[in-house]
């Protein structure tokens, strides 16, 4: 399942993402991965989650992020949750490529049995209805 955490800047999305990551670690019998741009969540997310900084791997754009997430799922079969902070900072295409990206992620989520959460900095009105049909919102 793909879940979108949507809201404008300053609405507490990152705090929700941190809470979701820590809850996922407590409930998961596998691994939880948090993907971020920069290493700002180091002290907020429990050490039991795997924190990955996309800047270390030069990940930029939806295609690269999709390949990166696919590689995580392919390389480790016990990943139960992947949470992505600041999706639009990693993918400067922003809303332009979001629909195709979420559709591909939904398929990946189903085949790999992995919950994926994306933090989206936009207002709910800006999100196309077709994305809402594919993804759940928090």
């Amino acid at each position: 399942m793909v879940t979108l955490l949507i809201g404008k800047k300053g609405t507490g999305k990152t705090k929700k993402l941190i809470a979701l990551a820590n809850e996922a670690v407590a409930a998961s019998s596998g691994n939880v991965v948090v993907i971020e741009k920069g290493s700002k969540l180091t002290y907020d997310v429990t050490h039991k989650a795997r924190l990955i900084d996309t800047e270390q791997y030069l990940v930029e754009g939806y295609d690269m992020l999709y390949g990166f997430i696919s590689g995580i799922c392919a390389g480790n079969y016990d990943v139960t949750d992947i949470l992505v902070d600041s999706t639009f900072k990693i993918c400067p295409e922003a809303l332009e490529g979001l629909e195709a990206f979420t559709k591909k992620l939904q398929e990946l989520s189903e085949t790999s049995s992995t919950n994926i959460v994306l933090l989206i900095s936009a207002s709910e009105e800006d999100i196309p209805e077709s994305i809402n049909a594919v993804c759940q919102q928090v």
Side-chain angles (χ1 to χ4, degrees), residues 28-61:
S28 177
S29 59
N31 291 317
V32 175
V33 177
V34 178
I35 299 172
E36 61 180 331
K37 183 174 177 104
S39 53
K40 60 187 179 288
L41 301 178
T42 304
Y43 300 107
D44 298 316
V45 175
T46 178
H47 70 280
K48 294 178 183 176
R50 168 87 165 121
L51 277 171
I52 301 175
D53 177 4
T54 57
E55 290 178 341
Q56 290 181 338
Y57 300 97
L58 305 176
V59 174
E60 187 175 309

Side-chain angles (χ1 to χ4, degrees), residues 31 33 35 52 65-82 105 107-114 116:
N31 291 317
V33 177
I35 299 172
I52 301 175
L65 183 58
Y66 178 77
F68 195 70
I69 292 172
S70 296
I72 291 169
C73 292
N76 194 345
Y77 289 103
D78 63 348
V79 172
T80 59
D81 298 88
I82 297 174
L105 276 185
E107 292 174 18
L108 176 65
S109 172
E110 290 171 7
T111 57
S112 65
S113 300
T114 304
I116 301 172

